Amino acid sequence: MRRINLWLEENTGLTAAFYHDLFYTVGVVLVLWLLSRLLLWTIFRREKDLRKQYQWRKFTNYAVTGLSILLLSNIWFNGFESIATFLGLLSAGLVLALREPLLSMTGWLYILWKRPFRIGDRVQVGDTIGDVIDIQLFQFTLNEIRGWVDADQATGRVVNVPNARLFTVSQANYNYGFPFVWHEIPVCITFESNWQKAKEILEEVTKRHAEQLSEVAVQQVKRQSQRHLIFYEDLKPKLYTTVRENGIQLTMRYLCGIMRRRQSSHLIWEEVLTQFLSAPDIQFAYPTTRFYQGSPGQDTEPPSPAI
């Protein structure tokens, strides 16, 4: 073995210690890779849920990466005291040169610790809205909705958002603490319309297309909401009446599944149009201009102001 070491030093210029460290490095990487593959294979045999498989895969990758860094640093830097000294010397320069990546890494830790959102949640970060499909060390990925699409449906684009943005812009989570969203559809009819009849029609339509929650489901939703100090006394559909400049506005408010807001609005509007068209005493209101003209021979000049 000694002769081999001397031969390697003479022919390559590298010390035997370097080759020992390289051998241990290859061994550590190989063992950790095999352990991660074995762990995932065991989990995937028992867990068939794709989302949970994805979460386990991400957790395993993070754990193996962190463990590899610790073990390899111990091999190449001769102990953790040298690591601390080395990191202390580089910290000031790294903070200045890698400010954005460090902020993104801090944002990643914030996501893991505080859980502002998870895979599958629908979120809005600044002006970007989408469903979270991936969370990485420096960025998270959204399947974008809205954009140029006039509804809560996908645009076909995938948006990568740096984790650092979590500290500079506001975020909204559609799923946090409450599995539904409140949706409102305003309908405006003329003052001459039979608004009581229109109200009865809209109430029936709203009840048919709102989320149908059993009493047990209602209690579960309330308990889950109250954990985050969100209080809803009544989850039933409501209809509100308001007077506008051009008519009477009847607003339908109801619970809707996060992924079916556009579909429920589509079904409600089709039924409302059908019902109102068959009712001659109900007319939709829209901006109009009315002109009044005097009868023949009648002075249409405006009266002169009194002096």
Side-chain angles (χ1 to χ4, degrees):
M1 179 62 69
R2 185 175 181 181
R3 291 181 179 180
I4 295 176
N5 292 337
L6 292 174
W7 182 85
L8 290 173
E9 291 180 11
E10 292 175 358
N11 290 273
T12 63
L14 300 175
T15 63
F18 172 82
Y19 289 101
H20 291 161
D21 293 343
L22 182 61
F23 173 77
Y24 289 135
T25 299
V26 174
V28 166
V29 172
L30 182 61
V31 169
L32 290 178
W33 182 81
L34 290 175
L35 287 176
S36 66
R37 296 301 97 186
L38 179 61
L39 178 62
L40 290 177
W41 178 77
T42 305
I43 293 173
F44 289 173
R45 285 189 61 187
R46 299 182 178 182
E47 184 59 67
K48 302 302 180 182
D49 189 344
L50 294 179
R51 291 191 177 186
K52 292 184 178 180
Q53 288 183 3
Y54 173 84
Q55 293 172 355
W56 273 108
R57 187 184 299 111
K58 298 291 288 187
F59 172 78
T60 303
N61 290 338
Y62 291 144
V64 169
T65 301
L67 190 58
S68 299
I69 292 174
L70 289 176
L71 294 177
L72 295 181
S73 298
N74 190 38
I75 292 174
W76 290 98
F77 292 99
N78 298 320
F80 292 101
E81 293 182 359
S82 299
I83 298 174
T85 304
F86 176 74
L87 293 178
L89 294 174
L90 290 181
S91 59
L94 288 175
V95 168
L96 295 176
L98 302 175
R99 178 177 178 274
E100 291 300 324
L102 287 175
L103 278 177
S104 293
M105 293 175 64
T106 306
W108 174 73
L109 294 175
Y110 169 74
I111 294 173
L112 296 182
W113 177 42
K114 295 296 291 184
R115 293 287 186 182
F117 53 78
R118 306 183 183 206
I119 298 295
D121 284 1
R122 177 162 292 180
V123 299
Q124 178 175 354
V125 181
D127 296 329
T128 306
I129 307 176
D131 299 323
V132 181
I133 58 176
D134 192 18
I135 299 175
Q136 299 181 9
L137 184 62
F138 295 105
Q139 65 186 21
F140 58 93
T141 306
L142 302 179
N143 182 24
E144 186 188 44
I145 65 171
R146 295 192 186 179
W148 59 80
V149 178
D150 188 22
D152 288 353
Q153 289 189 314
T155 63
R157 298 194 306 183
V158 172
V159 182
N160 295 314
V161 183
N163 295 335
R165 291 206 68 195
L166 296 178
F167 302 113
T168 58
V169 299
S170 59
Q171 309 108 45
N173 191 328
Y174 287 53
N175 301 73
Y176 188 82
F178 197 63
F180 305 100
V181 292
W182 287 102
H183 186 42
E184 292 189 356
I185 301 178
V187 178
C188 200
I189 60 176
T190 62
F191 288 110
E192 297 79 13
S193 297
N194 186 345
W195 66 271
Q196 294 93 339
K197 180 179 178 180
K199 187 174 181 179
E200 293 177 0
I201 293 174
L202 294 180
E203 286 176 344
E204 292 298 324
V205 172
T206 308
K207 289 179 181 178
R208 278 194 290 272
H209 295 285
E211 291 293 333
Q212 304 297 324
L213 301 179
S214 65
E215 188 61 31
V216 175
V218 169
Q219 296 303 321
Q220 290 177 348
V221 169
K222 287 184 177 180
R223 283 196 300 269
Q224 184 177 356
S225 301
Q226 290 170 4
R227 289 177 55 192
H228 305 282
L229 298 181
I230 302 173
F231 299 98
Y232 293 112
E233 294 298 331
D234 191 0
L235 301 177
K236 296 179 181 179
K238 297 291 185 180
L239 190 67
Y240 296 97
T241 305
T242 310
V243 175
R244 300 297 184 188
E245 294 181 356
N246 60 330
I248 302 172
Q249 179 174 297
L250 303 173
T251 303
M252 296 172 280
R253 176 178 170 86
Y254 63 97
L255 275 181
C256 177
I258 295 171
M259 302 297 179
R260 59 180 301 270
R261 194 157 74 101
R262 188 177 195 181
Q263 179 66 13
S264 68
S265 180
H266 159 74
L267 295 174
I268 286 175
W269 268 117
E270 283 199 342
E271 188 165 348
V272 168
L273 290 172
T274 303
Q275 296 268 12
F276 279 15
L277 289 176
S278 62
D281 55 346
I282 301 176
Q283 299 294 327
F284 287 104
Y286 51 88
T288 57
T289 303
R290 296 185 179 182
F291 297 94
Y292 294 92
Q293 185 174 1
S295 58
Q298 181 180 355
D299 185 9
T300 58
E301 293 292 333
S304 301
I307 298 176

